[in-house]
Amino acid sequence: MKKTRLLSLSVCAALAGTLALTACSSGGGATDDGEKKLTFMFRGGPDEKTAYETAIKKFTADTGVKVDMIVTDADQYATKLQAAVAGNKVPDVFYIEQANLQSYVSSGVLADITEEVEASGVDLDNMWEYGVDSYRFDGELQGTPDGALYGLPKDVGPFAFGYNKTMLEANGIPLPDPDKPYTLDEFVQVTKQLTKDTDGDGALDQWGTGLNVQWNLQSLVWSNGGDWVNEDRTEVTVDTPEFAEALQWFADLTNVHGVTPSASEAATLDTYQRWMAGEIAFFPVGPWDVSVYNELDFDYDLIPWPAGETGESATWIGSLGIGVSNTTKLPEDAVKLVTYLSADAAAQQTLVDAGIQVPNLVDMAEEWAAAPDAEPANRKEFLDIVQDYGRAMPAAYTYGAQWYDELWTNIQPVIDGKQTAADYLAETQPKMQSLLDESNATAEQAAAGR
């Protein structure tokens, strides 16, 4: 995946630990000539910036409220927001990472906007339930339908599975069924047929797949019946046969089946670049990738993720939220901006047309997915993930992500075939449990101090 499109959970956790402060002043308010002005901080590339400029121009025309945009790339966002918080210059409106919401609430940075949203007339029933509930917090658990609203979704990010249609057709491989996932054995057999030396120089230059363990293991574990934690997020559950089988299968793609580049081969040209160059058959696709992937020199499409022992596909749904500073001088206008960007049909259309997200509005999304000129053709798969088989990332709703990040710290020997998955997970689970216990204790202390 492109590292610039996803902020690492370890960075989120570091930010969460620095927000132990109370009131801060925001950047907006009335200008010298009496005009209202808000500050809006977000992260994204040129496409996103251009789309927001268009949407906000209409917001200003409709409301008379000017908006100063502060835009960073994904890698810098957490650091710059942290600096704004520390310098008492919290933007009036800003992006919220799911994993940071509880710390923002407990530190007094983020405003409860429940009443304002209810009064605004926004039809929450026509928004993705997952997206709205991601920014609810009842004081104990995040993501519950009864929690107070501390933001609205900027988007939902279903992490889909894609394939190089041109490559499969050129190699005489039947195109996969868009409604039935490959079994893991079927997937291995297909990827073996597609991994080859196409120019005869003795080196492989076409690969079946090229998955990244940190972003792709979730699908395999969940579809195999495993998970990271129990239902109430108090016990780590990685040391199980189901989890170990999924991780071992992932490692075997390289070390046994040879259908994905090794670490050394990926160091020469990473798998994202190989996919972009048309050298990889199966690769993940997020909505944020579509505007770029639609310009590639090959046809691609979406299918369900390969399924483990459960027989059911699984994957994760990301999300960004948009929240309001607890100390904004223009709270009503700030909430108007949030509801406009999240739920206004015209604003949503602007963002969707930029090819950077799935519509937040269910009716708009269904029309978007069914469009005869849809690219990719099966973009309904994005909606199937949001409605059916997608889940929140394991650390999305815990107080900090250190416990989750611990899994990746020393996992490379497993990926390189030097340690079994079962042995590694037995070593790692106690470390993860200790960190989760600390996380939950911190959450309890924060709740007691509110």
Side-chain angles (χ1 to χ4, degrees):
M1 300 194 58
K2 281 198 289 188
K3 295 179 182 177
T4 56
R5 304 297 289 206
L6 286 171
L7 187 65
S8 73
L9 290 172
S10 58
V11 173
C12 294
L15 176 60
T18 66
L19 292 176
L21 49 89
T22 53
C24 307
S25 60
S26 295
T31 63
D32 291 339
D33 57 8
E35 292 183 321
K36 294 179 179 179
K37 182 182 289 186
L38 295 170
T39 52
F40 169 43
M41 185 172 181
F42 65 99
R43 60 179 175 85
D47 291 345
E48 197 149 2
K49 181 181 178 183
T50 299
Y52 271 129
E53 286 173 344
T54 301
I56 286 174
K57 183 177 181 180
K58 184 177 185 303
F59 174 80
T60 298
D62 291 345
T63 65
V65 179
K66 293 186 176 180
V67 180
D68 281 345
M69 297 195 310
I70 306 167
V71 58
T72 78
D73 63 34
D75 292 337
Q76 296 178 323
Y77 182 77
T79 301
K80 291 194 173 182
L81 181 58
Q82 175 185 344
V85 170
N88 294 339
K89 294 181 180 179
V90 183
D92 299 288
V93 176
F94 57 95
Y95 272 6
I96 314 165
E97 304 283 348
Q98 289 170 301
N100 288 341
L101 184 133
Q102 293 182 46
S103 61
Y104 286 137
V105 172
S106 64
S107 60
V109 171
L110 201 56
D112 178 346
I113 61 173
T114 309
E115 292 183 2
E116 291 83 354
V117 171
E118 290 175 351
S120 72
V122 170
D123 183 7
L124 296 181
D125 291 336
N126 190 37
M127 299 182 69
W128 299 114
E129 182 179 7
Y130 170 85
V132 175
D133 287 353
S134 288
Y135 306 99
R136 292 188 185 274
F137 181 50
D138 65 6
E140 295 183 359
L141 289 176
Q142 182 181 343
T144 61
D146 299 324
L149 273 173
Y150 289 93
L152 287 177
K154 176 266 175 187
D155 63 9
V156 291
F159 199 53
F161 201 54
Y163 70 98
N164 182 329
K165 184 178 179 182
T166 302
M167 182 189 293
L168 267 65
E169 290 175 335
N171 285 269
I173 304 295
L175 298 183
D177 189 331
D179 299 315
K180 182 182 178 182
Y182 286 125
T183 67
L184 298 187
D185 287 343
E186 289 170 341
F187 183 71
V188 168
Q189 292 308 311
V190 170
T191 53
K192 281 184 175 180
Q193 296 176 63
L194 291 162
T195 301
K196 59 180 65 176
D197 169 14
T198 63
D199 57 15
D201 67 356
L204 293 175
D205 54 18
Q206 179 175 291
W207 302 88
T209 191
L211 304 179
N212 176 293
V213 67
Q214 188 169 352
W215 302 109
N216 305 143
L217 183 63
Q218 299 82 1
S219 168
L220 302 171
V221 169
W222 290 331
S223 74
N224 207 50
D227 210 338
W228 269 253
V229 288
N230 63 351
E231 188 173 352
D232 65 3
R233 308 163 199 160
T234 58
E235 295 181 13
V236 177
T237 58
V238 301
D239 186 14
T240 65
E242 295 82 5
F243 200 112
E245 288 168 2
L247 177 53
Q248 193 63 59
W249 183 87
F250 184 96
D252 288 351
L253 289 175
T254 300
N255 304 304
V256 176
H257 306 301
V259 298
T260 190
S262 66
S264 60
E265 289 163 329
T268 302
L269 189 67
D270 69 34
T271 54
Y272 174 78
Q273 293 171 310
R274 291 178 188 270
W275 161 260
M276 297 285 284
E279 297 177 5
I280 284 180
F282 295 92
F283 202 71
V285 181
W288 51 85
D289 294 314
V290 167
S291 64
V292 174
Y293 288 5
N294 286 352
E295 301 299 320
L296 295 175
D297 292 333
F298 59 86
D299 292 332
Y300 78 102
D301 209 351
L302 307 180
I303 53 173
W305 281 81
E309 287 298 318
T310 67
E312 302 289 338
S313 289
T315 187
W316 52 268
I317 316 173
S319 180
L320 281 168
I322 310 177
V324 173
S325 166
N326 205 28
T327 53
T328 177
K329 298 180 178 69
L330 299 172
E332 292 183 3
D333 294 303
V335 174
K336 283 181 182 178
L337 180 59
V338 171
T339 58
Y340 170 76
L341 294 175
S342 180
D344 179 84
Q348 281 294 295
Q349 194 64 58
T350 298
L351 297 173
V352 171
D353 288 346
I356 57 176
Q357 70 176 69
V358 171
N360 279 340
L361 305 178
V362 175
D363 55 0
M364 180 184 291
E366 290 173 344
E367 182 177 347
W368 168 83
D373 59 348
E375 290 185 275
N378 185 36
R379 63 187 181 195
K380 181 179 178 296
E381 192 67 32
F382 285 133
L383 308 194
D384 291 343
I385 292 170
V386 180
Q387 293 174 309
D388 183 18
Y389 69 90
R391 310 187 191 187
M393 273 288 211
Y397 298 155
T398 58
Y399 197 101
Q402 294 95 329
W403 70 272
Y404 172 74
D405 289 339
E406 180 64 28
L407 180 69
W408 317 116
T409 302
N410 296 302
I411 203 170
Q412 195 59 43
V414 179
I415 306 306
D416 293 339
K418 298 177 181 178
Q419 184 178 19
T420 68
D423 286 348
Y424 177 69
L425 295 170
E427 293 175 1
T428 304
Q429 175 156 315
K431 301 174 187 177
M432 295 175 68
Q433 185 64 55
S434 177
L435 291 168
L436 180 62
D437 291 342
E438 292 177 13
S439 172
N440 287 333
T442 301
E444 291 177 3
Q445 293 170 1
R450 280 199 296 273

Short mmCIF file of all heavy atoms in Angstrom, two decimals, residues 4 43 54 66 74 105 113 122 128 135 176 186 204 221 245 255 292 312 338 363 389-390 399 416 436:
data_model
loop_
_atom_site.label_atom_id
_atom_site.label_comp_id
_atom_site.label_asym_id
_atom_site.label_seq_id
_atom_site.Cartn_x
_atom_site.Cartn_y
_atom_site.Cartn_z
N THR A 4 1.74 6.86 2.31
CA THR A 4 1.22 8.22 2.49
C THR A 4 -0.29 8.26 2.61
O THR A 4 -0.84 9.29 2.95
CB THR A 4 1.65 9.12 1.33
OG1 THR A 4 1.20 8.54 0.11
CG2 THR A 4 3.14 9.29 1.29
N ARG A 43 -5.90 16.17 6.04
CA ARG A 43 -4.76 15.63 5.31
C ARG A 43 -5.23 15.02 4.00
O ARG A 43 -6.34 14.53 3.88
CB ARG A 43 -4.03 14.56 6.14
CG ARG A 43 -4.87 13.34 6.53
CD ARG A 43 -3.99 12.37 7.31
NE ARG A 43 -4.69 11.23 7.85
CZ ARG A 43 -4.93 10.10 7.19
NH1 ARG A 43 -4.58 10.00 5.94
NH2 ARG A 43 -5.53 9.10 7.79
N THR A 54 -13.46 23.30 -3.80
CA THR A 54 -14.73 23.46 -4.50
C THR A 54 -15.90 23.38 -3.54
O THR A 54 -16.82 24.22 -3.58
CB THR A 54 -14.87 22.37 -5.58
OG1 THR A 54 -13.79 22.49 -6.50
CG2 THR A 54 -16.19 22.52 -6.32
N LYS A 66 -16.40 32.14 6.08
CA LYS A 66 -15.17 31.80 5.36
C LYS A 66 -14.45 30.65 6.07
O LYS A 66 -14.60 30.45 7.28
CB LYS A 66 -14.25 33.02 5.28
CG LYS A 66 -14.80 34.13 4.40
CD LYS A 66 -13.78 35.26 4.24
CE LYS A 66 -14.31 36.33 3.29
NZ LYS A 66 -13.31 37.43 3.12
N ALA A 74 -0.38 12.83 4.69
CA ALA A 74 -0.76 11.90 5.76
C ALA A 74 0.34 11.72 6.79
O ALA A 74 0.08 11.62 7.99
CB ALA A 74 -1.14 10.54 5.16
N VAL A 105 -11.50 13.10 23.55
CA VAL A 105 -12.65 13.36 24.43
C VAL A 105 -12.17 13.57 25.85
O VAL A 105 -12.55 14.54 26.51
CB VAL A 105 -13.66 12.20 24.35
CG1 VAL A 105 -14.76 12.38 25.39
CG2 VAL A 105 -14.28 12.12 22.96
N ILE A 113 -21.10 16.89 19.84
CA ILE A 113 -21.95 17.61 18.88
C ILE A 113 -23.30 16.91 18.69
O ILE A 113 -24.01 17.18 17.72
CB ILE A 113 -21.24 17.80 17.53
CG1 ILE A 113 -20.91 16.46 16.88
CG2 ILE A 113 -19.98 18.65 17.70
CD1 ILE A 113 -20.36 16.58 15.45
N VAL A 122 -29.96 16.39 9.82
CA VAL A 122 -29.21 15.40 9.05
C VAL A 122 -29.85 14.02 9.23
O VAL A 122 -30.16 13.61 10.34
CB VAL A 122 -27.73 15.34 9.52
CG1 VAL A 122 -27.01 14.15 8.90
CG2 VAL A 122 -27.02 16.63 9.14
N TRP A 128 -23.88 5.62 6.39
CA TRP A 128 -23.41 4.30 6.78
C TRP A 128 -23.32 4.20 8.30
O TRP A 128 -22.67 5.02 8.95
CB TRP A 128 -22.04 4.01 6.17
CG TRP A 128 -22.05 4.01 4.67
CD1 TRP A 128 -21.42 4.88 3.84
CD2 TRP A 128 -22.74 3.09 3.82
NE1 TRP A 128 -21.66 4.57 2.54
CE2 TRP A 128 -22.48 3.47 2.49
CE3 TRP A 128 -23.56 1.98 4.05
CZ2 TRP A 128 -23.00 2.78 1.39
CZ3 TRP A 128 -24.08 1.29 2.96
CH2 TRP A 128 -23.80 1.68 1.66
N TYR A 135 -17.71 7.36 15.55
CA TYR A 135 -17.42 8.60 16.27
C TYR A 135 -18.40 8.80 17.43
O TYR A 135 -18.57 9.91 17.91
CB TYR A 135 -17.39 9.77 15.28
CG TYR A 135 -16.41 9.42 14.19
CD1 TYR A 135 -16.84 8.90 12.97
CD2 TYR A 135 -15.04 9.47 14.44
CE1 TYR A 135 -15.93 8.47 12.02
CE2 TYR A 135 -14.12 9.04 13.50
CZ TYR A 135 -14.57 8.54 12.30
OH TYR A 135 -13.65 8.09 11.37
N PRO A 176 -12.28 -14.37 -11.94
CA PRO A 176 -12.90 -14.80 -10.69
C PRO A 176 -14.35 -14.37 -10.59
O PRO A 176 -14.77 -13.37 -11.17
CB PRO A 176 -12.04 -14.13 -9.62
CG PRO A 176 -11.33 -13.03 -10.32
CD PRO A 176 -11.18 -13.43 -11.73
N GLU A 186 -7.62 -22.53 -3.66
CA GLU A 186 -7.86 -22.07 -5.02
C GLU A 186 -7.00 -20.85 -5.34
O GLU A 186 -6.45 -20.74 -6.45
CB GLU A 186 -9.33 -21.73 -5.21
CG GLU A 186 -10.25 -22.94 -5.22
CD GLU A 186 -11.72 -22.55 -5.17
OE1 GLU A 186 -12.03 -21.40 -4.76
OE2 GLU A 186 -12.56 -23.41 -5.51
N LEU A 204 12.09 -14.02 -12.17
CA LEU A 204 10.65 -13.80 -12.16
C LEU A 204 10.34 -12.32 -12.34
O LEU A 204 10.97 -11.46 -11.71
CB LEU A 204 10.06 -14.29 -10.83
CG LEU A 204 10.10 -15.80 -10.57
CD1 LEU A 204 9.59 -16.10 -9.16
CD2 LEU A 204 9.29 -16.55 -11.60
N VAL A 221 -7.02 -13.66 8.94
CA VAL A 221 -7.31 -14.11 10.31
C VAL A 221 -8.81 -14.17 10.55
O VAL A 221 -9.34 -15.18 11.04
CB VAL A 221 -6.63 -13.17 11.33
CG1 VAL A 221 -7.15 -13.44 12.75
CG2 VAL A 221 -5.12 -13.33 11.28
N GLU A 245 -2.74 -20.41 11.84
CA GLU A 245 -2.91 -20.96 10.50
C GLU A 245 -2.93 -19.85 9.45
O GLU A 245 -2.33 -19.98 8.38
CB GLU A 245 -4.19 -21.77 10.41
CG GLU A 245 -4.14 -23.10 11.15
CD GLU A 245 -5.50 -23.74 11.29
OE1 GLU A 245 -6.49 -23.16 10.77
OE2 GLU A 245 -5.60 -24.80 11.94
N ASN A 255 7.48 -18.28 1.05
CA ASN A 255 8.52 -19.26 1.36
C ASN A 255 8.24 -20.67 0.86
O ASN A 255 9.17 -21.45 0.66
CB ASN A 255 8.73 -19.30 2.88
CG ASN A 255 9.08 -17.93 3.44
OD1 ASN A 255 10.04 -17.31 3.00
ND2 ASN A 255 8.30 -17.45 4.39
N VAL A 292 -6.21 6.98 -9.09
CA VAL A 292 -4.91 6.63 -9.68
C VAL A 292 -5.01 5.33 -10.48
O VAL A 292 -4.54 5.23 -11.61
CB VAL A 292 -3.83 6.50 -8.58
CG1 VAL A 292 -2.52 5.99 -9.17
CG2 VAL A 292 -3.61 7.84 -7.89
N GLU A 312 -16.21 -17.50 4.53
CA GLU A 312 -16.72 -16.14 4.34
C GLU A 312 -15.56 -15.15 4.21
O GLU A 312 -14.58 -15.23 4.94
CB GLU A 312 -17.59 -15.72 5.53
CG GLU A 312 -18.79 -16.62 5.79
CD GLU A 312 -19.86 -16.49 4.72
OE1 GLU A 312 -19.89 -15.43 4.05
OE2 GLU A 312 -20.66 -17.43 4.56
N VAL A 338 -19.13 20.74 9.57
CA VAL A 338 -19.00 19.28 9.69
C VAL A 338 -20.16 18.57 9.01
O VAL A 338 -19.96 17.64 8.22
CB VAL A 338 -18.91 18.86 11.18
CG1 VAL A 338 -19.01 17.34 11.31
CG2 VAL A 338 -17.61 19.36 11.80
N ASP A 363 -28.10 6.19 -0.26
CA ASP A 363 -28.79 6.22 -1.55
C ASP A 363 -27.87 6.69 -2.66
O ASP A 363 -27.89 6.15 -3.78
CB ASP A 363 -30.07 7.06 -1.48
CG ASP A 363 -29.86 8.49 -0.99
OD1 ASP A 363 -28.70 8.87 -0.69
OD2 ASP A 363 -30.85 9.24 -0.91
N TYR A 389 -19.41 -7.53 5.15
CA TYR A 389 -18.32 -8.31 5.76
C TYR A 389 -17.12 -7.49 6.23
O TYR A 389 -16.10 -8.05 6.60
CB TYR A 389 -17.89 -9.43 4.81
CG TYR A 389 -17.19 -9.05 3.53
CD1 TYR A 389 -15.80 -8.93 3.49
CD2 TYR A 389 -17.89 -8.87 2.33
CE1 TYR A 389 -15.14 -8.63 2.31
CE2 TYR A 389 -17.23 -8.58 1.14
CZ TYR A 389 -15.86 -8.46 1.14
OH TYR A 389 -15.20 -8.18 -0.04
N GLY A 390 -17.22 -6.19 6.25
CA GLY A 390 -16.12 -5.37 6.76
C GLY A 390 -16.17 -5.18 8.26
O GLY A 390 -17.24 -5.24 8.88
N TYR A 399 -8.10 2.42 23.57
CA TYR A 399 -7.43 3.65 23.99
C TYR A 399 -5.94 3.50 23.70
O TYR A 399 -5.16 3.06 24.53
CB TYR A 399 -7.68 3.89 25.48
CG TYR A 399 -7.39 5.30 25.94
CD1 TYR A 399 -8.43 6.22 26.13
CD2 TYR A 399 -6.10 5.73 26.19
CE1 TYR A 399 -8.18 7.51 26.56
CE2 TYR A 399 -5.84 7.03 26.62
CZ TYR A 399 -6.88 7.91 26.80
OH TYR A 399 -6.62 9.19 27.22
N ASP A 416 9.88 -14.33 6.78
CA ASP A 416 11.06 -14.84 6.06
C ASP A 416 11.22 -16.35 6.17
O ASP A 416 12.17 -16.91 5.63
CB ASP A 416 12.33 -14.17 6.61
CG ASP A 416 12.39 -12.68 6.30
OD1 ASP A 416 11.68 -12.25 5.36
OD2 ASP A 416 13.12 -11.95 7.00
N LEU A 436 -2.23 -4.09 26.35
CA LEU A 436 -3.67 -3.85 26.34
C LEU A 436 -4.18 -3.56 27.74
O LEU A 436 -5.04 -2.68 27.93
CB LEU A 436 -4.41 -5.06 25.75
CG LEU A 436 -5.93 -4.91 25.67
CD1 LEU A 436 -6.33 -3.75 24.76
CD2 LEU A 436 -6.58 -6.21 25.17
#
